[in-house]
Amino acid sequence: MGLEVCFAGWVATYADELHLGAGWGTAFTATFWGGFLAGRLFMAWRGERLGTERVLWVSVGAATVIAVGIAVVGAAPVAILVGSAAFGAAIAPQFPTMLAHLHRTVPLTGTVTAWCIAGSAIGGLLLPPLIGTLFEAVGAAALPWTIAVASVGSAVVLFATDRWALARLPTALHA
């Protein structure tokens, strides 16, 4: 949830910092949400045919590459517009697919679901003020680079969940 909250919440400020104007900021926000909607609808349509682990890895990898791409293009509004839509589509399946992936690995008890939702909310609580602080310190580059690092953080969490944490869950959860 942190990636979507941060990108949607800060992309208009990003446009302003790059001196692109409010119109571009609005367009970036709208295309992000349009891409996000398209990504969610695509997963509702085709999600069952794709493996949850594959979807998550592609989503995290694509989000990282797109965020770096947005950082590299600088003040190129059309490229940022396309990147905003692509980023929205890339991250759209992460939260619901994460729940489905976890459910296929362990039973989703109330405790497991609560920890999953609490963990996803941490990004939404920590990333926006971090980006605000970085905007003041380093300028517009704070948004795409912080999003890229957060995407890599998502990959680390996914790897840890798949390879380490799930293997060590109490046997009662596997019953």
Side-chain angles (χ1 to χ4, degrees):
M1 284 192 232
L3 292 175
E4 62 201 57
V5 168
C6 284
F7 193 88
W10 282 101
V11 73
T13 304
Y14 180 69
D16 190 50
E17 289 286 319
L18 294 176
H19 306 291
L20 298 175
W24 280 111
T26 301
F28 299 159
T29 304
T31 56
F32 166 78
W33 286 117
F36 191 86
L37 175 62
R40 285 274 172 101
L41 290 174
F42 176 79
M43 286 308 297
W45 176 52
R46 287 289 191 216
E48 283 297 314
R49 294 186 176 161
L50 305 170
T52 56
E53 186 173 10
R54 178 184 299 157
V55 169
L56 288 170
W57 281 112
V58 168
S59 175
V60 167
T64 304
V65 168
I66 294 164
V68 170
I70 290 171
V72 169
V73 300
V78 174
I80 298 169
L81 190 71
V82 171
S84 296
F87 187 74
I91 68 167
Q94 284 185 12
F95 183 73
T97 305
M98 172 192 60
L99 287 175
H101 182 65
L102 190 60
H103 178 64
R104 289 182 176 146
T105 310
V106 298
L108 278 184
T109 65
T111 302
V112 171
T113 303
W115 278 107
C116 186
I117 291 172
S120 68
I122 289 172
L125 292 171
L126 297 179
L127 286 177
L130 173 64
I131 289 176
T133 301
L134 291 173
F135 252 98
E136 288 183 13
V138 299
L143 177 66
W145 289 114
T146 303
I147 295 296
V149 169
S151 294
V152 171
S154 296
V156 169
V157 169
L158 177 59
F159 180 81
T161 300
D162 279 352
R163 306 291 183 250
W164 182 79
L166 294 178
R168 288 168 174 74
L169 283 174
T171 55
L173 289 176
H174 294 292

